[in-house]
Amino acid sequence: MQSRLHDGFTVQKLKFRTRKVPKTSSIPLILPNDLKYNGSKGTVEKVRGARRSTLCVVPEALELLEGIKGPVSALSICGPCRTGKSYVLSRLLGSADAFELGHRWDPQTFGIWMGTKVLKGADFTILLLDTEGIDASGGSADQDASILVLTILLSSLLIYNSLNVPYKGDLEKMQCFIKLAKGVTVKKGQKTQMSELREFFPDFLWLLRDVSLMSTDENGREIDPTQYLKTRVLARGEDFEETPGDMVGRAILTSFPSVECFTLERPSDNKQVMNNIADHTDKLNPEFNKGVETLIGLLLQKSRPKRGYYKGSTVNGIALSLMVKQYVEAVNDPQAIPALDNTWRNTIQLMRSRAIEEAIQEYREEMAAGIATVSQGTDVQIILDEDIEDEMDEALSLMSIHNKAFTKVTSCLLDNIGHLGIGSGDLDEESEGVVREMQERLVRREERTIEYVGDDLVTRRQQGMVVVGGELYGFLQENRSRSRAFCTEMFNTFFEPVQKKIESPPAGYDFRGALDELERTREQYHRWARGPEKWAVLQEMTKNWDSLRANIKKIRGYQEQLMLEQERAHQAELEAQRKNREARRLYNQQQDMQRAHKETLEKMNQLHKWQMAKVKMEGEVWRWGEEQKFEDFRQAQMDEMANLSRELQGRHDREVQQLKSRMQRQQDEMNGKIRELNNRLRQPPPPPPRRRRKGGCVIM
């Protein structure tokens, strides 16, 4: 189910991958330990005998959170209980009761809840978080501070919701904000100043409810609510000593990158309407509804992807779920303080490990799908050649399928870790190491030296890389095993009738007839045998064919010398085929490795340039609103990457074509010499020279 909202955002429902959970509009993300979530019923239940002391993460909510693949913007709301926080979030989703609304004195929301619906935009997804009310019954100041710290650490935009216009004295009730600097640190083991938090904290919007009065300055002149909040509420008073309210105001102004204020009039003076506001949206104060619509537009405009610790980094659903678990663990430990740098490093490490496993699984699926596509229309899995020998047969090459899968998963891996930002160095060495680890798990190669026959028919030595392990090696071994079994069956099918005829020759069957029939049978084998083991099977089978040789000697017209020359020529052909095939495989794999390395390096360079440009221009975009300028730059980078990819592919295609031409010339020369030798062997032997006697001696 989808519905359009303001500014191109779409309301979408999050889905569980494995669990069967009731379809509720919200789900607890973090609960106090005296409560537990019943996933089968979709309800929260009391834990008998438990006393609230810590916070717990709800696994079902994390599973939903991990389903958000792109960057996430977490929009949270906090504030005193019974002030209508849940209603504001529900209206953001285009309804009035997406989050449970409380109509009793006791609070309805405990811990932190997340909506099961999100606002999907072109570049990021907005996740809505509702929090337990400050000063709720059953809570404490420390627990309020823990909830607030968690909410701030997870959010990119924080709404503080309260009733009526605040005054200096009201700030003293917000002591939890003073504990921010003590409750979190930027770098582990180092003291943090409040000003350092601005780079990582969310934007702050104070939403004043049930306000109809005009905001004025000290001289009675009208000012906007934000200016009123900053100058008359949060700014330090003229007293010599700093009051607790002054400390709260300083904490808010110093810790958050931006502070704004928005006001809403009272929804209704009708008690019945207020007791069930979700069902009476059309009966609410028109000015209130108008204000809500304006507020929604403002919130969507201010929303931005949550950034990580590194420059240019953004947080997706998986990263946010990992951070939730780490932050909850930290706030539960009286000796621990959540550290932004350490949490981000741990998140990156877990994200990269997960990204590698996902890439490996995707590679397996891509390889299986590629092989299945080639095998369509057959009852069994088709046997593939390993290398590309002909452009017409490229789709039948296992290495061709591998190259496509390898390129795709490498690109996906870089995209998945690209949002993690720039750590240290010109290129993020950790990211490069992750890509290298993934690629080595896919393909592990070793250097080998082999002999091959050159264009001049001279045997030479060549060095290169061969596959000896990794996911690809498993596919190669499986394909070779099928090829060996199939070729062995083909050999027996074609050669057994000839063998039986040689063992019991029919009338008129002579030595030359046997040679001709063997040659025709070899041609049949060449035409029907498939896969990388084709020549190896033929060489092994014929080399060990002792019984056939013994029976051929019994055939009429047998010539020992001709038989030996025929076998030598045949074995020479098979050996040449084997060596040339090995040389071609060695060369192709060397080129494949170089191509993959170049493509990966270029992709990483482009990714790094993109991240650096993003860091450089991001401030200008948010400061001046030049979104189009940033979009044009991004498009230019993508076009440059596409041109580079086409250039690398063209270079690779030319190298492959040159190899094919050289191999073809070599094969043509070899075939010519073999035909010449066979023709010579087929000619009848010359008659013996005539003898004549001279003087009692025989003259030759």
Side-chain angles (χ1 to χ4, degrees):
M1 177 180 178
Q2 299 183 4
S3 60
R4 300 298 295 175
L5 207 65
H6 300 267
D7 300 330
F9 283 91
T10 301
V11 177
Q12 293 187 358
K13 180 80 173 179
L14 297 177
K15 296 180 180 179
F16 289 97
R17 296 192 312 273
T18 58
R19 304 174 189 268
K20 292 184 178 180
V21 180
K23 296 180 179 180
T24 54
S25 57
S26 60
I27 186 173
L29 176 63
I30 299 170
L31 284 174
N33 64 300
D34 60 341
L35 297 173
K36 66 178 181 179
Y37 180 68
N38 187 325
S40 60
K41 297 180 180 179
T43 58
V44 173
E45 303 170 351
K46 290 285 294 183
V47 177
R48 182 176 299 180
R51 182 179 179 183
R52 177 169 174 169
S53 58
T54 59
L55 297 170
C56 304
V57 179
V58 178
E60 289 87 347
L62 293 184
E63 181 177 329
L64 280 182
L65 191 55
E66 291 178 359
I68 305 176
K69 299 301 181 183
V72 172
S73 173
L75 192 159
S76 305
I77 192 165
C78 67
C81 60
R82 316 302 304 119
T83 55
K85 300 187 302 298
S86 302
Y87 180 77
V88 172
L89 294 185
S90 296
R91 287 290 294 267
L92 262 168
L93 292 173
S95 67
D97 57 356
F99 289 84
E100 184 175 1
L101 307 182
H103 306 295
R104 298 185 296 272
W105 285 5
D106 291 334
Q108 301 293 104
T109 303
F110 292 94
I112 299 177
W113 286 62
M114 59 176 273
T116 57
K117 293 180 180 179
V118 295
L119 302 176
K120 178 67 175 176
D123 300 317
F124 59 90
T125 300
I126 300 178
L127 176 75
L128 303 183
L129 300 178
D130 190 12
T131 65
E132 177 179 335
I134 297 174
D135 295 332
S137 60
S140 66
D142 288 340
Q143 292 166 0
D144 287 345
S146 296
I147 293 290
L148 179 63
V149 166
L150 285 172
T151 304
I152 290 174
L153 291 177
L154 298 176
S155 304
S156 50
L157 176 57
L158 177 69
I159 304 172
Y160 184 80
N161 185 85
S162 67
L163 293 176
N164 300 316
V165 178
Y167 296 95
K168 279 286 186 182
D170 296 330
L171 296 183
E172 296 183 6
K173 302 176 183 178
M174 302 165 58
Q175 297 292 317
C176 53
F177 280 93
I178 301 179
K179 299 182 179 182
L180 283 179
K182 297 180 180 179
V184 64
T185 182
V186 174
K187 293 185 178 181
K188 188 175 183 179
Q190 297 184 16
K191 187 176 181 180
T192 298
Q193 300 295 326
M194 281 190 174
S195 57
E196 295 181 70
L197 301 174
R198 294 172 60 90
E199 189 175 354
F200 307 101
F201 271 23
D203 294 316
F204 184 92
L205 177 70
W206 197 323
L207 178 60
L208 303 178
R209 307 289 295 276
D210 298 357
V211 175
S212 57
L213 298 177
M214 180 178 60
S215 55
T216 60
D217 62 13
E218 295 178 347
N219 299 319
R221 290 179 300 223
E222 183 178 359
I223 56 177
D224 66 74
T226 297
Q227 188 177 359
Y228 178 89
L229 178 68
K230 289 182 176 180
T231 59
R232 303 202 61 184
V233 179
L234 300 179
R236 182 175 178 178
E238 297 179 355
D239 296 337
F240 182 77
E241 293 185 358
E242 187 177 41
T243 66
D246 291 333
M247 295 174 63
V248 171
R250 179 165 59 86
I252 293 175
L253 289 174
T254 305
S255 303
F256 297 96
S258 70
V259 176
E260 295 185 46
C261 182
F262 192 88
T263 62
L264 285 176
E265 293 193 15
R266 182 169 175 78
S268 176
D269 292 323
N270 188 314
K271 183 178 179 180
Q272 291 182 344
V273 171
M274 292 299 294
N275 283 338
N276 195 3
I277 191 173
D279 294 336
H280 296 94
T281 301
D282 57 337
K283 297 180 181 180
L284 298 179
N285 178 359
E287 291 299 319
F288 172 79
N289 281 331
K290 181 180 178 180
V292 170
E293 292 300 315
T294 303
L295 173 63
I296 290 174
L298 175 63
L299 294 176
L300 296 180
Q301 182 182 0
K302 287 182 63 65
S303 294
R304 56 183 173 82
K306 178 172 176 56
R307 64 154 294 185
Y309 182 79
Y310 291 161
K311 293 181 179 179
S313 62
T314 54
V315 175
N316 64 7
I318 295 177
L320 194 60
S321 71
L322 295 172
M323 294 165 70
V324 168
K325 290 187 284 189
Q326 294 179 76
Y327 285 142
V328 169
E329 184 178 345
V331 299
N332 283 338
D333 185 355
Q335 306 300 320
I337 298 177
L340 300 182
D341 64 332
N342 193 57
T343 300
W344 187 244
R345 281 197 297 268
N346 292 340
T347 299
I348 287 179
Q349 184 176 357
L350 293 170
M351 285 282 293
R352 286 170 169 164
S353 298
R354 182 177 294 198
I356 289 177
E357 296 305 322
E358 290 178 353
I360 299 299
Q361 181 60 34
E362 184 179 6
Y363 174 83
R364 294 178 186 139
E365 293 173 358
E366 287 291 323
M367 289 293 291
I371 295 172
T373 299
V374 175
S375 303
Q376 279 184 348
T378 62
D379 296 332
V380 295
Q381 186 170 317
I382 196 169
I383 298 169
L384 302 172
D385 283 321
E386 289 184 5
D387 301 302
I388 304 172
E389 298 185 12
D390 192 311
E391 291 182 0
M392 299 297 293
D393 296 332
E394 181 175 350
L396 301 179
S397 165
L398 187 63
M399 291 304 296
S400 176
I401 298 174
H402 156 75
N403 288 339
K404 293 177 182 178
F406 186 88
T407 300
K408 181 177 180 179
V409 300
T410 299
S411 180
C412 289
L413 178 70
L414 287 169
D415 291 339
N416 288 338
I417 66 176
H419 72 279
L420 299 178
I422 301 170
S424 59
D426 295 334
L427 271 177
D428 191 349
E429 295 180 1
E430 293 182 356
S431 295
E432 188 176 0
V434 171
V435 176
R436 185 167 54 250
E437 179 183 346
M438 185 275 292
Q439 291 182 342
E440 287 178 352
R441 286 186 59 181
L442 293 182
V443 186
R444 183 162 56 86
R445 290 184 170 94
E446 287 183 0
E447 189 174 27
R448 296 282 175 84
T449 301
I450 64 170
E451 293 183 345
Y452 73 101
V453 181
D455 293 343
D456 53 1
L457 300 183
V458 175
T459 300
R460 292 185 173 84
R461 297 171 66 85
Q462 176 176 318
Q463 287 185 328
M465 308 297 291
V466 295
V467 179
V468 295
E471 295 292 328
L472 173 61
Y473 188 72
F475 285 100
L476 291 174
Q477 290 295 89
E478 183 181 355
N479 189 62
R480 290 169 186 173
S481 177
R482 287 199 305 273
S483 173
R484 174 167 288 273
F486 179 80
C487 291
T488 301
E489 182 180 357
M490 287 295 100
F491 182 91
N492 293 331
T493 299
F494 293 133
F495 281 86
E496 279 184 2
V498 180
Q499 185 177 10
K500 291 179 180 179
K501 187 178 291 188
I502 292 175
E503 291 174 353
S504 302
Y509 193 71
D510 60 5
F511 177 66
R512 286 199 173 276
L515 293 183
D516 291 341
E517 194 156 12
L518 283 172
E519 186 61 29
R520 287 193 300 272
T521 305
R522 290 191 186 101
E523 291 176 357
Q524 284 182 299
Y525 176 86
H526 293 170
R527 184 163 58 252
W528 292 102
R530 293 287 182 269
E533 296 297 297
K534 172 180 178 178
W535 299 107
V537 168
L538 183 59
Q539 188 173 23
E540 292 173 11
M541 299 292 281
T542 56
K543 184 179 290 186
N544 300 321
W545 212 348
D546 295 331
S547 61
L548 182 68
R549 296 186 188 92
N551 288 319
I552 288 180
K553 291 181 179 180
K554 302 175 183 178
I555 296 179
R556 180 170 54 85
Y558 173 76
Q559 299 180 32
E560 179 73 19
Q561 186 63 30
L562 184 59
M563 182 65 182
L564 292 175
E565 290 183 358
Q566 181 94 351
E567 284 193 350
R568 281 196 294 267
H570 182 59
Q571 289 296 332
E573 178 188 9
L574 293 179
E575 185 65 15
Q577 289 281 4
R578 184 188 66 80
K579 289 182 177 180
N580 292 339
R581 189 178 185 87
E582 287 296 322
R584 183 165 56 250
R585 179 185 300 171
L586 205 66
Y587 177 83
N588 285 343
Q589 292 190 9
Q590 185 79 11
Q591 294 299 307
D592 169 65
M593 185 178 67
Q594 294 175 358
R595 175 194 57 79
H597 178 71
K598 288 179 182 178
E599 289 180 355
T600 302
L601 188 60
E602 291 298 334
K603 174 79 173 178
M604 291 194 68
N605 274 313
Q606 291 296 333
L607 178 63
H608 183 76
K609 290 178 182 178
W610 160 248
Q611 289 173 332
M612 293 295 292
K614 181 181 178 184
V615 170
K616 183 177 180 181
M617 296 188 65
E618 209 168 41
E620 297 182 12
V621 170
W622 290 109
R623 188 179 302 114
W624 304 107
E626 297 178 353
E627 289 87 354
Q628 189 59 46
K629 180 179 179 181
F630 188 62
E631 183 63 28
D632 291 344
F633 175 82
R634 183 177 71 168
Q635 187 61 47
Q637 293 291 312
M638 293 175 64
D639 292 343
E640 182 180 348
M641 189 183 303
N643 292 334
L644 180 60
S645 177
R646 285 192 292 270
E647 180 183 344
L648 289 173
Q649 185 62 44
R651 189 185 311 165
H652 173 68
D653 293 342
R654 289 192 296 272
E655 290 174 348
V656 170
Q657 189 58 45
Q658 291 173 0
L659 173 65
K660 289 179 180 178
S661 299
R662 187 167 71 249
M663 290 295 184
Q664 189 61 49
R665 290 196 305 270
Q666 177 180 326
Q667 187 65 45
D668 291 343
E669 292 180 5
M670 178 64 69
N671 290 340
K673 290 184 176 295
I674 292 173
R675 283 195 299 269
E676 180 182 347
L677 178 59
N678 285 332
N679 291 335
R680 184 166 60 85
L681 292 174
R682 294 177 188 279
Q683 295 175 359
R690 297 179 60 186
R691 299 184 179 185
R692 59 188 180 88
R693 289 182 175 272
K694 183 178 181 181
C697 299
V698 177
I699 306 298
M700 299 297 291

